[in-house]
Amino acid sequence: LGEETGRYLFRIVALKEILSNPGKYGFNFREKDLYTNIPTYKVEVDTAVTDFSKFAEKFGINYKILKLHNPWLREKHLNNKSRKLYHIDIPKEGYYQ
């Protein structure tokens, strides 16, 4: 391995060890300190979406929350000429006020 790549390899191995055994390295977490799982459901989309802001409003959320749950959405629209099937995560109703 090259010198630079070798440094990253050891950092990754060290990070995996810390995440596997956090208490051994002084990271003590209580259950209430951890993030809660946000319940979501999937919406299938096989057509173009011209405006994700309007799309999000249909489900009672805003664009920011839509992007938070779907970071793979890079643009404010979806061109889907090939009619590929996409799954978009939508948080269940009542989680965000």
Side-chain angles (χ1 to χ4, degrees):
L1 296 176
E3 181 181 347
E4 187 174 351
T5 305
R7 287 189 303 224
Y8 286 112
L9 182 66
F10 288 113
R11 290 176 184 171
I12 292 169
V13 171
L15 183 60
K16 186 200 179 307
E17 174 63 21
I18 291 169
L19 292 174
S20 298
N21 303 302
K24 182 177 175 181
Y25 300 100
F27 295 95
N28 301 309
F29 302 110
R30 298 170 298 191
E31 194 65 35
K32 71 176 190 172
D33 295 330
L34 302 176
Y35 288 110
T36 58
N37 185 25
I38 299 171
T40 61
Y41 62 95
K42 296 197 180 298
V43 173
E44 293 182 345
V45 174
D46 65 352
T47 59
V49 178
T50 57
D51 186 1
F52 275 122
S53 296
K54 290 178 183 174
F55 179 84
E57 284 178 12
K58 292 180 192 175
F59 298 98
I61 58 175
N62 60 31
Y63 180 70
K64 182 178 179 181
I65 293 171
L66 181 70
K67 287 285 291 181
L68 180 68
H69 289 278
N70 301 281
W72 58 271
L73 296 173
R74 302 254 184 221
E75 298 179 18
K76 292 190 175 204
H77 63 279
L78 176 66
N79 295 329
N80 195 3
K81 293 177 184 175
S82 64
R83 298 192 55 94
K84 181 179 174 183
L85 182 64
Y86 291 95
H87 293 97
I88 298 178
D89 289 326
I90 304 291
K92 291 190 177 176
E93 188 175 336
Y95 190 81
Y96 293 102
Q97 299 300 335

